Amino acid sequence: MHQLTEEILASREWRIRELEALKKIGIIALNEYPLKVKQQYYRMCIPYIYAHWEGFVVESFKLLITYLNNEHLDKKMVINELYTFSLQNVLKPLAGKQSFEQSYQFVERFVEDFDKELYIDTSLLSANSNLNYKQMTNILSKFGMENCLEGYKEDINQLVNQRNSIAHGENGIIIEEKHVSNKISVLQELFDSIILEFEKYLSQKMYLKR
């Protein structure tokens, strides 16, 4: 197994331990509490579960960015998706209508940057606190990764939508113990799918042109 994959696997392990502890509290510690208190606890679990979802994804891809930067890769050798991603700050002046001055600034920065090795600023990676299915597939595409989460669109979007509703103060959402348990199980599957994709990506050096 690639060393970076092992680091991401370690991130998965401590997150799953915390999530399993969250589930046990709901089953054991709240056993004598009234239903409303239990539902309040289960509702509070959703933002916590989402935090681990976004945290795992952002941490994993930032570790990958650091790894790729440390490889000192020739830009002409990496896949176009990755090179384009690295140029996001350079390309910003071309957004919308641009003046000649903005076009000139772009060309100046592009020419100056062209012969340097690949470097990706970690700040370019953001989930925008809203890591839904579309956002996740966008992140995968920036690295030229295959969509390994195709069957989880509904699960991911439901988690994000419920988290947003609860975070914005809506208390009409009913969350039960089985919902929390199910979301934790799905999160384990998502983590495992991402880890397998990382291992393939790294071992086959899919960041390089064929």
Side-chain angles (χ1 to χ4, degrees), residues 24-173:
K24 287 177 183 177
I25 291 170
I27 295 171
I28 300 170
L30 297 180
N31 189 45
E32 301 299 324
Y33 283 81
L35 180 61
K36 280 191 174 181
V37 175
K38 290 180 181 179
Q39 288 178 339
Q40 182 181 1
Y41 173 79
Y42 297 139
R43 194 160 57 243
M44 290 163 54
C45 288
I46 300 301
Y48 190 82
I49 293 169
Y50 172 82
H52 275 297
W53 160 239
E54 181 177 318
F56 176 80
V57 169
V58 171
E59 179 185 7
S60 299
F61 279 94
K62 285 195 173 182
L63 283 171
L64 177 57
I65 288 172
T66 300
Y67 170 80
L68 293 172
N69 287 342
N70 289 338
E71 286 292 283
H72 307 291
L73 299 167
D74 185 337
K75 288 175 182 172
K76 294 184 284 294
M77 302 296 291
V78 302
I79 55 175
N80 292 334
E81 293 93 334
L82 207 55
Y83 186 25
T84 303
F85 180 43
S86 73
L87 289 173
Q88 291 305 290
N89 286 332
V90 179
L91 294 169
K92 277 182 181 179
L94 295 183
K97 294 181 179 179
Q98 64 278 155
S99 64
F100 177 80
E101 180 61 26
Q102 288 172 311
S103 299
Y104 171 78
Q105 288 172 0
F106 162 75
V107 171
E108 187 175 47
R109 288 189 62 186
F110 184 82
V111 171
E112 179 184 334
D113 191 63
F114 184 73
D115 288 328
K116 295 179 182 177
E117 61 195 27
L118 180 79
Y119 176 79
I120 303 171
D121 190 335
T122 54
S123 68
L124 291 173
L125 182 77
S126 174
N128 298 319
S129 299
N130 194 40
L131 190 56
N132 56 26
Y133 181 78
K134 182 178 180 181
Q135 182 84 341
M136 184 65 208
T137 55
N138 284 341
I139 290 174
L140 290 167
S141 66
K142 287 173 182 176
F143 289 83
M145 286 186 174
E146 295 178 9
N147 183 3
C148 54
L149 306 178
E150 198 167 353
Y152 294 94
K153 180 177 181 178
E154 185 176 337
D155 292 303
I156 294 171
N157 286 344
Q158 185 185 65
L159 173 62
V160 175
N161 292 336
Q162 288 182 343
R163 175 261 185 186
N164 290 344
S165 296
I166 293 167
H168 293 150
E170 294 182 27
N171 61 2
I173 298 175

Side-chain angles (χ1 to χ4, degrees), residues 23 155 158 177-187:
K23 189 163 60 175
D155 292 303
Q158 185 185 65
E177 178 191 318
K178 63 181 180 181
H179 298 143
V180 173
S181 181
N182 176 259
K183 281 176 171 51
I184 291 172
S185 296
V186 168
L187 212 59

